[in-house]
Amino acid sequence: MQYMFLIYGSEAAIAASTESEMAESVARNQAVIEKASAEGALVGVGALLSTSNATTVRLERGIALTTDGPFAETKEQLGGYYILECKDLDEAIAWAEQMPACGGGCIEIRPMMELPG
């Protein structure tokens, strides 16, 4: 089954990070990516730009309304994702424990629906 790992963290904390802290985080994420790829579990991975680059779209009475930024103010923002093929939730949790964001933010694990076609 495929699981999506939604990576949440504080954009303010990331912005306050030193270059060496950022380099360490990138290296730790790259290590997880390489391990997941080597084990045949990696389906996809991506990072998102900050919420200042986001646009939210809503339909109200058939009219599209757009606003800058995310749909809700939160302490933690969605920063990226992994999609991994895992045999079960226990294996997915074991992968999440290896991801750097697990130590400073949080990782939401969601099984993915299989869609026809």
Side-chain angles (χ1 to χ4, degrees):
M1 171 168 272
Q2 289 184 356
Y3 289 86
M4 180 171 269
F5 299 73
L6 300 165
I7 311 298
Y8 290 92
S10 166
E11 289 180 351
I14 292 168
S17 297
T18 65
E19 279 189 41
S20 65
E21 290 169 334
M22 287 301 295
E24 180 184 339
S25 179
V26 168
R28 290 178 61 211
N29 274 297
Q30 190 61 38
V32 174
I33 292 166
E34 289 172 6
K35 182 178 179 184
S37 182
E39 293 185 19
L42 186 65
V43 176
V45 64
L48 301 174
L49 293 174
S50 73
T51 56
S52 65
N53 295 283
T55 300
T56 299
V57 180
R58 290 185 175 85
L59 280 179
E60 289 189 17
R61 297 183 186 113
I63 299 171
L65 303 175
T66 61
T67 55
D68 292 337
F71 67 93
E73 293 293 324
T74 62
K75 292 181 183 178
E76 296 177 322
Q77 295 77 35
L78 178 62
Y81 66 90
Y82 286 78
I83 300 173
L84 301 179
E85 184 73 38
C86 302
K87 67 180 181 203
D88 55 27
L89 181 58
D90 290 335
E91 182 180 346
I93 292 169
W95 277 109
E97 291 171 349
Q98 298 174 58
M99 297 174 184
C102 197
C106 70
I107 300 171
E108 177 183 346
I109 302 171
R110 303 266 303 266
M112 295 184 69
M113 230 188 272
E114 289 188 35
L115 300 175

